[in-house]
C-alpha cells in the first residue's frame, strides 16, 4: 500500500518537473547538435522563390523579343513569380497590352487566342505590375499578349514559354 502510494508520488513529481521544463522552454536543445525546432544552420535548404520582371527593364511592350529574353533569363523554377508591367489605356496609350496563357504548344505557335485564357486585362499591368506565380512543377507555360487579334503575339513578338523546374537546393553552413 505504502509502496504503491510512493510510486504514484514519484510519477506526479516527474510529470510536474517535465511540465515545468516544457513551459519554461518550449523547445529542446542538447550538446549533440540535435535541436527542436530545428535551427537549420547547416545542411541543404531550398533556394527561395524569386520575382522576375518579364522583359527586365523593357517591361511588357510591342516589338521586344520575349522568346529570346526567356531563354536568356531562365531557368525558371516552381513558385517563382513572373511580373508583367505595362501601362493601362489612356490618351497617350491607345494600344495597351494584356496577358494570356495558351493551353498547348500549337495554339501558342499559331497565336490562336480563341483557345487562350486571359490572365490579366489591359489595366492589370499598371503600378507594380501583374504577378503570376508558376505554381505547378514541370509545367510548360505559354504566355502572350492578347491584343489586336494576335498581332501583338505574332508580329509584336509578345510571347514566350517557360517550364517550371523543381526548386534547386543549396548547402548552408
Ligand atoms: Cu500587346
Amino acid at each position: 500500500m505504502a509502496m504503491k502510494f510512493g510510486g504514484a508520488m514519484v510519477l506526479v513529481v516527474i510529470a510536474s518537473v517535465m511540465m515545468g521544463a516544457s513551459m519554461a522552454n518550449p523547445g529542446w536543445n542538447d550538446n549533440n547538435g540535435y535541436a527542436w525546432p530545428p535551427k537549420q544552420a547547416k545542411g541543404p535548404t531550398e533556394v527561395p522563390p524569386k520575382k522576375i520582371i518579364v522583359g527586365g527593364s523593357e517591361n511588357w511592350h510591342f516589338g521586344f523579343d520575349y522568346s529570346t529574353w526567356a531563354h536568356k533569363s531562365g531557368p525558371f523554377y516552381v513558385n517563382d513569380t513572373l511580373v508583367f508591367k505595362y501601362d493601362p489605356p489612356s490618351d497617350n496609350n491607345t494600344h495597351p497590352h494584356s496577358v494570356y496563357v495558351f493551353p498547348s504548344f500549337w495554339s501558342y505557335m499559331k497565336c490562336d487566342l480563341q483557345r487562350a485564357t486571359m490572365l490579366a486585362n489591359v489595366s492589370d499591368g499598371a503600378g507594380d505590375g501583374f504577378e503570376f506565380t508558376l505554381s505547378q512543377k514541370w509545367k510548360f507555360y505559354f504566355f502572350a499578349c492578347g491584343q489586336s487579334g494576335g498581332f501583338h503575339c505574332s508580329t509584336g513578338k509578345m510571347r514566350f514559354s517557360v517550364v517550371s523546374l523543381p526548386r534547386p537546393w543549396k548547402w548552408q553552413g
Side-chain angles (χ1 to χ4, degrees):
M1 183 70 179
M3 286 275 287
K4 233 178 177 179
F5 185 72
M9 280 295 285
V10 168
L11 278 177
V12 167
V13 169
I14 290 172
S16 59
V17 165
M18 285 173 72
M19 279 177 68
S22 65
M23 284 192 291
N25 180 8
W28 58 263
N29 208 336
D30 66 24
N31 295 330
N32 298 324
Y34 296 101
W36 189 264
K39 286 186 288 187
Q40 296 190 332
K42 289 181 179 179
T45 51
E46 220 174 60
V47 174
K50 279 194 287 190
K51 274 190 191 180
I52 301 121
I53 296 171
V54 174
S57 58
E58 294 280 340
N59 293 340
W60 189 230
H61 71 79
F62 191 93
F64 184 74
D65 187 345
Y66 290 92
S67 192
T68 299
W69 170 84
H71 282 288
K72 285 182 183 170
S73 306
F76 300 96
Y77 301 104
V78 65
N79 292 330
D80 279 344
T81 296
L82 298 176
V83 185
F84 295 82
K85 290 181 145 186
Y86 50 95
D87 292 332
S90 68
D91 290 344
N92 297 327
N93 182 25
T94 52
H95 294 93
H97 307 291
S98 58
V99 183
Y100 280 66
V101 66
F102 293 101
S104 72
F105 176 73
W106 293 110
S107 53
Y108 165 75
M109 285 303 285
K110 292 185 284 187
C111 288
D112 184 1
L113 287 155
Q114 308 273 39
R115 296 178 188 276
T117 304
M118 188 178 74
L119 298 176
N121 67 27
V122 290
S123 300
D124 290 336
D128 291 336
F130 167 71
E131 296 191 355
F132 183 87
T133 299
L134 307 172
S135 57
Q136 266 183 274
K137 202 192 304 185
W138 289 120
K139 183 178 162 73
F140 278 91
Y141 291 89
F142 303 102
F143 298 103
C145 178
Q147 299 313 111
S148 304
F151 185 64
H152 286 210
C153 173
S154 54
T155 307
K157 298 181 196 164
M158 297 185 77
R159 65 170 146 172
F160 66 97
S161 66
V162 304
V163 57
S164 51
L165 299 178
R167 293 209 69 76
W169 294 69
K170 66 177 175 187
W171 192 264
Q172 249 190 4

